[in-house]
Amino acid sequence: MRNDMTENPYRTLFRLDGKRAVLIGAGGIGREVALALAAHGAFVVCADKDPEVAKQTAAAVSGEAVSLDVTDGAAVRDAARSLGDVDILVLTAATNVRKRMLDYTEEEFDRVTGLNLKATFTVLQSFGRAMVERGSGSIVVFSSVRGFVVEPGQSVYAATKAGAIQLVKTAAVEFGEAGVRVNAVAPGVVETPLTNQIKANKEWYDAYATKGALGRWSQPSELTGAVVFLASEAASFVTGSTVAVDGGWTAVDGRFTPPT
């Protein structure tokens, strides 16, 4: 019996060779996502509001850099038309204002919802339209564990991340007949510059570390496997799902371990 492993389709199940990916939000976690997509064979277009961030990440993956403010609906629609056939779209861009509800301003509310929710809708609509017309594609939107569980000071952020999950589900249903898959990734606590405020407070940092089942924070690189999976043929029958990459955060009821 011939043992030719090159004919085994499972060897290439996660490969993205020949795929064109657009990554919106190219810094922090986005940079690691770009590296992972490129490592699996995709050509990555790195889009970011900061053109230098886009250029640096694009250079790291031999990709293309695009300056894009996703809160500008016209710019997003233009990008969806001008970037050619897109096989994979990953949206990581988001913002947060950590304040209690009674202290929130209208401007802060509009800023957080404008990026995290309205821009998510615009990206899904604009890039989804082109994918539906072509009859293929995979979209991955970053949500958060805050889409499921909350804490004081996270009202608007949590609402937008829950909203993003529902947008993903709806897009999956509406785009599915055309062969387009739409999914979300929900990270837990991640070591990035955006969490410096928490890391500067040891009690706060340790409380987050011990909340999950693994007892630690994640690194940005640990989120990339879920993205590659959802983008690849390994997830050909996965759509409308939210993959929690949270170290067991949403699996644990409270931070107290009772004596047993």
Side-chain angles (χ1 to χ4, degrees):
M1 181 177 178
R2 186 179 178 184
N3 184 22
D4 187 356
M5 291 297 291
T6 62
E7 295 181 359
N8 187 335
Y10 294 121
R11 287 178 59 87
T12 59
L13 199 57
F14 294 89
R15 293 297 304 175
L16 302 172
D17 302 280
K19 301 293 185 181
R20 183 175 176 84
V22 171
L23 168 69
I24 301 177
I29 294 170
R31 177 182 171 85
E32 298 300 320
V33 169
L35 292 170
L37 293 174
H40 284 79
F43 177 82
V44 186
V45 178
C46 302
D48 199 279
K49 184 178 181 179
D50 186 336
E52 286 305 313
V53 169
K55 289 177 184 177
Q56 290 171 13
T57 301
V61 298
S62 299
E64 177 183 345
V66 173
S67 178
L68 178 63
D69 179 358
V70 288
T71 63
D72 183 343
V76 173
R77 289 186 287 273
D78 287 344
R81 287 191 293 264
S82 66
L83 290 177
D85 290 345
V86 177
D87 302 296
I88 301 161
L89 186 284
V90 182
L91 175 62
T92 71
T95 191
N96 188 13
V97 175
R98 187 184 291 275
K99 276 187 176 182
R100 290 181 178 258
M101 294 180 70
L102 299 183
D103 299 322
Y104 235 87
T105 68
E106 185 175 349
E107 183 277 329
E108 290 165 341
F109 180 93
D110 290 343
R111 174 153 42 99
V112 176
T113 58
L115 176 55
N116 296 5
L117 194 59
K118 184 178 179 181
T120 297
F121 176 85
T122 304
V123 167
L124 285 169
Q125 183 185 60
S126 301
F127 284 88
R129 188 186 309 279
M131 288 181 174
V132 166
E133 290 174 355
R134 196 173 69 251
S136 65
S138 174
I139 300 174
V140 181
V141 172
F142 268 67
S143 179
S144 167
V145 292
R146 293 296 171 222
F148 302 100
V149 293
V150 302
E151 68 177 5
Q154 294 280 54
S155 61
V156 182
Y157 181 79
T160 62
K161 289 304 182 178
I165 290 172
Q166 296 305 99
L167 287 176
V168 161
K169 290 180 179 180
T170 307
V173 172
E174 294 183 358
F175 302 169
E177 290 184 355
V180 178
R181 297 184 297 104
V182 189
N183 293 285
V185 172
V189 290
V190 189
E191 296 267 12
T192 73
L194 293 178
T195 55
N196 283 338
Q197 176 189 6
I198 300 172
K199 289 186 286 186
N201 183 319
K202 187 177 186 304
E203 183 180 6
W204 195 357
Y205 179 88
D206 291 345
Y208 276 17
T210 56
K211 168 63 172 73
L214 296 182
R216 63 177 178 84
W217 287 54
S218 69
Q219 297 299 316
S221 59
E222 294 182 289
L223 304 177
T224 64
V227 178
V228 171
F229 164 65
L230 292 172
S232 72
E233 285 302 305
S236 60
F237 203 61
V238 179
T239 196
S241 295
T242 298
V243 178
V245 188
D246 64 356
W249 183 288
T250 51
V252 180
D253 180 13
R255 293 191 175 97
F256 177 70
T257 301
T260 53

